Amino acid sequence: GGEEASFKEAMAPLADAGILGSVLAQFPYSFRRKPESREVLEQIIETFGALGLVVEIRHGEWNTEEFRDFLRARRVGFCNLDQPRVARSLGPTEVATSRVGYVRLHGRNAANWFRKQAERWERYDYVYEAEELIPWIGRIQRIAEQTADVFVIANNHFRGKAPLAALTLLAMLRGEKV
């Protein structure tokens, strides 16, 4: 439709200049692994796959080799998540299914993650302790060994907590203060 064409047109200068790393298609926890969901994914991949698409799913039932093979066959990236471990949420992974590796750190604010009255910002109001990020160093390095590019996005953005997480990770990856 018109919105899809407008989005692709807006991305074209970045893609043409070689600076568009990827486009993230994010799905909520309620996006479950069923045939109609697969149809939605197929349509999104058909429409945006050429832009370096990465798919973020949050429900753990998608964490199968069959789904990873589905993404690999279409050269679509898998978004590795750090999110609150609530219900059947996807746990930490180190999956690479395309030339793009992708990690998204949402924080671990389990108390507000699914709370209906929670304001949007409350879900992402979380400060990572360095110890919580240490396992991600190895995961990021292993993803990097399998991909051309790795993007690590800190989404615990309330009151500047994302830059703190990003700088902490960067310092740990480099082995020096940033």
Side-chain angles (χ1 to χ4, degrees):
E3 291 177 358
E4 295 166 355
S6 294
F7 180 78
K8 286 161 73 171
E9 185 179 329
M11 295 296 106
L14 298 173
D16 293 346
I19 57 173
L20 178 63
S22 65
V23 171
L24 181 69
Q26 176 189 335
F27 295 93
Y29 177 84
S30 60
F31 187 74
R32 305 291 297 273
R33 190 170 169 242
K34 39 192 179 180
E36 52 269 30
S37 299
R38 186 63 66 100
E39 290 172 19
V40 169
L41 284 173
E42 289 277 10
Q43 181 61 45
I44 289 171
I45 291 167
E46 182 180 317
T47 305
F48 300 109
L51 295 175
L53 189 64
V54 173
V55 171
E56 176 183 333
I57 47 85
R58 296 183 181 187
H59 198 286
E61 68 189 11
W62 289 96
N63 191 17
T64 68
E65 195 59 36
E66 184 273 331
F67 179 61
R68 291 187 287 275
D69 287 343
F70 168 85
L71 294 176
R72 281 185 195 102
R74 291 153 182 83
R75 293 192 280 282
V76 172
F78 179 92
C79 182
N80 299 275
L81 296 175
D82 191 81
Q83 65 178 341
R85 296 303 307 272
V86 179
R88 294 187 57 211
S89 59
L90 180 72
T93 54
E94 52 187 74
V95 174
T97 57
S98 75
R99 63 172 291 286
V100 173
Y102 209 101
V103 172
R104 198 149 184 242
L105 308 172
H106 288 294
R108 299 180 181 176
N109 193 338
N112 287 320
W113 197 245
F114 286 134
R115 189 170 65 86
K116 293 205 185 309
Q117 295 79 22
E119 296 290 334
R120 186 178 182 120
W121 63 265
E122 288 181 288
R123 292 181 177 92
Y124 303 102
D125 184 9
Y126 188 82
V127 173
Y128 278 100
E129 297 296 328
E131 298 77 38
E132 294 173 308
L133 294 172
I134 289 171
W136 281 103
I137 299 301
R139 291 183 191 114
I140 292 166
Q141 290 169 332
R142 288 185 290 276
I143 292 166
E145 290 168 3
Q146 305 170 59
T147 59
D149 295 302
V150 178
F151 298 96
V152 180
I153 310 298
N155 192 40
N156 58 324
H157 46 71
F158 184 68
R159 292 193 173 158
K161 293 170 182 162
L164 174 61
L167 290 171
T168 302
L169 260 179
L170 190 59
M172 291 177 359
L173 281 163
R174 290 184 176 170
E176 61 187 41
K177 288 191 176 198
V178 175

